[in-house]
Amino acid sequence: MRNKQINTIFSGILIFFALFIVIPAFLLFKNAFTSGGGFSFKNFSDVFEQGQLAKAFFNSVKVSSISAFITTVLAFVLAYTENFTNLPQGLKKCIRTMAVFPMLLPTITYGFAIIYSFGRNGLLTQVFHRQFFDFYGFKGLIFGYVIYTLPISFTLIKNTMSYIDKRYLIVSRIMGDNCVKSFNTAILQPLWGTIAVSLVQSFFLSFTDFGIPSSIGGRYIVVAELLYNTMLGSIPNFHQGAVIAIMMLLPSIVSILILNYLQRFNVRYNKISQIELKKNVVRDAACAVLSFAILFCVLSIFLVVIVSPFVSEWPYNKAFTFRHLQSVFADKALVHVFTNSLWVSLLSAVFGTALVYAAALVTARSKIHPHGNLVIESMAQITNTIPGMVLGIAFLLAFRRTPLHNTIIIIIACNLVHFFATPYLMMKGTLDKMNSSWETTATILGDNWIKTVVRVITPNAVGTLLEVFCYLFINGMVTVSAVVFIAGAKTMVITTKIQELQHFAKFNEIFILSILILITNLVIKSVKGIIIKHKEVN
């Protein structure tokens, strides 16, 4: 009975992945390698002959590499400030909160915030009485990508840094090492693997992002923008779009290989000891000033998102008004879009949490055949590295002539695939740490596997389940790269509506919709925090 239950769940997971990963991927490659009704490389030759792809690919690699390096350095400073200084816990919590704040807004909003902050009449330009830089093109993309990838890079480095055994700092000082050598031996060397992962992840996220280039890319063409223009431009070309999408997969393949290789550089301690750090007022003050300066530069651009919608006519008439807010809520189309986003995010979170939990139970809490584990682990690795735009195009090609086309269902399925990997790894890590004898004990007492999961395992996994739900909901609210290809007029979500509104220069509506996303995500995070705290108290 237990094996039957596990196999039923595993079969359902396999069917889901077959429908929404294997078939779309097959049709994507079919469109790329088909011309004139037969197998051909003509689509590839046509794309390369145009010359745009090579230039866009080089531009994407260049700007993504530079932004990844800057992001990792800044994230390291923030993580070091939290883990290796004696700053008050309140300040450290403030740094943690501020560092991940950009994750609560869609990347397409970053570009418009940069425009309204650093333009000739921008908020920061007026405050400091100077325009800092030309934000269209290369410089603007780097700034936008750093804002986008900093929360992820900070989280990666912070988590690893918290597990560094601080006793090695004492040992290094006893052996007479100077500050630089001690820093390199006790802190930097154990982090090389994570630093490299941060570089790879930041590069990959920047390379595949569509939201930022769509708003401030200017004439600096990148692969994501070229792909969008090819698929949804004035003359759509699905075959050439499939070719560009496949080329976009190259960083995915390289990142998988690099990340697997970097696993060997992870440092594991037999025991981690928490010691009191050496008091150093200069170090603490310098790190605090530097960290808050970084966060100010990153977060200051979002001030205009909150200010501009409540100004009568920026920057000419700065009288306070609710007129723009009232017009948004009076517009039934915009209210419908917001309602769509709520439903999509909520259903993505509910079904996504169920899918992730089921997959993690199969791999971590059952004795299914090793090949079954390998299939799920492979799907997690694949979904972790498929760019959202490639996934969206694959879904468009696979379902455009089916009843699923232009439905909420297809957007939810796309979100489940797109965001499967990280929640799955979170859930699997939690289940792996639980007592492995619970199922055996329950079987002896007469409970079947499903009852054991419901009565024993699930209550102990509530915290992680809430984290997974929150992660999926927030990402469902802010994602744009995949859904821009599969959302129709009736199923449009906030991020795709923002992308449409930019063509009409309706920035007040864009910022108000962005504020709604921010408030919604903050509410979800707050509710999650309250539930978890209540559970810990009880």
Side-chain angles (χ1 to χ4, degrees):
M1 176 62 71
R2 175 179 174 178
N3 289 338
K4 186 177 180 180
Q5 292 167 341
I6 295 169
N7 288 332
T8 301
I9 294 172
F10 180 63
S11 299
I13 295 170
L14 282 184
I15 292 169
F16 175 82
F17 284 136
L19 285 174
F20 298 111
I21 294 183
V22 178
I23 293 175
F26 171 77
L27 292 174
L28 177 69
F29 279 86
K30 181 183 177 183
N31 272 268
F33 289 99
T34 301
S35 180
F39 181 84
S40 174
F41 287 99
K42 185 178 183 303
N43 297 319
F44 284 85
S45 62
D46 289 344
V47 169
F48 283 107
E49 283 174 5
Q50 293 172 5
Q52 283 188 302
L53 179 58
K55 182 180 180 181
F57 199 89
F58 174 78
N59 286 347
S60 291
V61 170
K62 180 182 176 182
V63 72
S64 300
S65 300
I66 294 172
S67 63
F69 176 78
I70 295 172
T71 296
T72 302
V73 172
L74 299 181
F76 183 90
V77 172
L78 296 175
Y80 180 87
T81 302
E82 183 181 341
N83 286 280
F84 286 94
T85 65
N86 289 314
L87 291 176
Q89 289 301 317
L91 286 180
K92 291 184 177 182
K93 184 177 181 180
C94 185
I95 290 173
R96 285 197 303 271
T97 304
M98 294 168 68
V100 299
F101 175 84
M103 296 177 71
L104 303 178
L105 286 166
T107 58
I108 197 167
T109 301
Y110 300 0
F112 304 128
I114 290 172
I115 292 171
Y116 261 57
S117 295
F118 296 107
R120 290 183 180 179
N121 295 311
L123 179 60
L124 296 181
T125 301
Q126 293 195 16
V127 169
F128 293 100
H129 304 291
R130 58 169 296 186
Q131 187 173 3
F132 288 91
F133 62 94
D134 182 9
F135 51 81
Y136 279 113
F138 180 74
K139 293 179 181 178
L141 287 176
I142 286 181
F143 191 48
Y145 288 153
V146 169
I147 295 171
Y148 170 40
T149 56
L150 185 63
I152 293 94
S153 180
F154 167 73
T155 303
L156 280 169
I157 297 174
K158 173 184 72 74
N159 289 344
T160 303
M161 199 176 277
S162 64
Y163 286 100
I164 290 178
D165 195 330
K166 295 179 176 63
R167 288 180 304 173
Y168 286 87
L169 285 170
I170 298 175
V171 174
S172 181
R173 288 198 294 268
I174 291 173
M175 294 180 68
D177 293 341
N178 57 35
C179 294
V180 175
K181 189 174 182 181
S182 179
F183 173 79
N184 178 57
T185 303
I187 299 174
L188 205 55
Q189 288 186 9
L191 280 174
W192 276 125
T194 302
I195 289 172
V197 170
S198 171
L199 287 168
V200 172
Q201 289 283 63
S202 298
F203 172 88
F204 175 74
L205 290 170
S206 300
F207 187 92
T208 58
D209 179 64
F210 166 71
I212 296 169
S214 71
S215 52
I216 58 171
R219 296 182 180 179
Y220 193 86
I221 188 73
V222 292
V223 173
E225 196 173 0
L226 177 63
L227 179 56
Y228 177 81
N229 292 335
T230 303
M231 291 295 293
L232 298 179
S234 55
I235 307 176
N237 190 320
F238 288 174
H239 292 289
Q240 291 189 11
V243 170
I244 299 172
I246 289 174
M247 295 302 297
M248 226 177 159
L249 284 172
L250 290 177
S252 305
I253 298 169
V254 173
S255 66
I256 289 174
L257 297 175
I258 292 175
L259 291 174
N260 285 336
Y261 175 76
L262 291 174
Q263 292 293 327
R264 68 182 67 185
F265 294 101
N266 288 339
V267 175
R268 292 178 174 85
Y269 299 99
N270 293 326
K271 184 181 179 182
I272 299 172
S273 301
Q274 297 298 328
I275 63 167
E276 186 176 346
L277 292 168
K278 182 180 178 181
K279 293 183 179 179
N280 189 327
V281 177
V282 175
R283 175 202 64 197
D284 294 352
C287 287
V289 170
L290 192 55
S291 294
F292 282 102
I294 292 169
L295 294 171
F296 173 79
C297 291
V298 169
L299 299 181
S300 60
I301 71 156
F302 295 112
L303 182 62
V304 72
V305 176
I306 300 170
V307 172
S308 177
F310 300 99
V311 171
S312 184
E313 188 179 359
W314 183 270
Y316 308 108
N317 183 357
K318 298 178 182 177
F320 182 83
T321 181
F322 282 114
R323 177 167 52 88
H324 304 303
L325 185 65
Q326 290 169 347
S327 66
V328 167
F329 283 102
D331 189 334
K332 292 183 179 179
L334 294 180
V335 173
H336 176 69
V337 165
F338 179 63
T339 305
N340 274 353
S341 288
L342 286 178
W343 275 113
V344 167
S345 301
L346 182 62
L347 294 175
S348 296
V350 170
F351 290 112
T353 303
L355 175 67
V356 163
Y357 192 37
L361 284 170
V362 169
T363 55
R365 307 299 300 186
S366 71
K367 295 180 180 179
I368 198 169
H369 194 278
H371 291 318
N373 281 354
L374 181 62
V375 169
I376 295 178
E377 295 288 342
S378 299
M379 289 299 106
Q381 199 168 45
I382 290 170
T383 56
N384 192 39
T385 50
I386 294 180
M389 293 194 76
V390 175
L391 188 64
I393 289 171
F395 269 57
L396 174 64
L397 296 174
F399 302 107
R400 60 185 169 139
R401 294 174 181 172
T402 70
L404 290 176
H405 184 55
N406 283 343
T407 63
I408 293 289
I409 295 173
I410 201 65
I411 298 177
I412 294 170
C414 185
N415 284 343
L416 297 192
V417 173
H418 192 191
F419 304 117
F420 173 78
T422 300
Y424 166 74
L425 294 175
M426 289 166 54
M427 196 74 250
K428 185 174 183 293
T430 297
L431 296 180
D432 278 333
K433 294 173 184 176
M434 293 181 183
N435 194 320
S436 59
S437 65
W438 284 349
E439 287 88 343
T440 305
T441 304
T443 301
I444 294 172
L445 294 174
D447 283 348
N448 60 34
W449 185 72
I450 292 295
K451 284 185 178 181
T452 307
V453 168
V454 173
R455 294 177 179 177
V456 182
I457 297 175
T458 302
N460 287 280
V462 168
T464 306
L465 287 169
L466 289 171
E467 291 283 355
V468 167
F469 181 92
C470 188
Y471 177 91
L472 291 169
F473 184 93
I474 290 173
N475 278 281
M477 288 294 292
V478 303
T479 186
V480 64
S481 57
V483 298
V484 73
F485 293 102
I486 55 177
K490 293 182 179 180
T491 58
M492 191 172 286
V493 292
I494 288 183
T495 49
T496 55
K497 187 64 178 180
I498 288 174
Q499 201 270 334
E500 179 188 281
L501 288 171
Q502 71 169 316
H503 298 297
F504 304 99
K506 293 186 175 182
F507 292 105
N508 286 317
E509 288 84 346
I510 287 172
F511 290 151
I512 289 171
L513 291 176
S514 300
I515 291 172
L516 289 175
I517 292 175
L518 175 62
I519 292 173
T520 304
N521 287 338
L522 285 173
V523 168
I524 289 296
K525 284 184 70 70
S526 300
V527 171
K528 180 209 72 176
I530 291 170
I531 294 173
I532 290 177
K533 188 175 289 187
H534 179 73
K535 183 178 180 296
E536 289 174 351
V537 170
N538 294 335

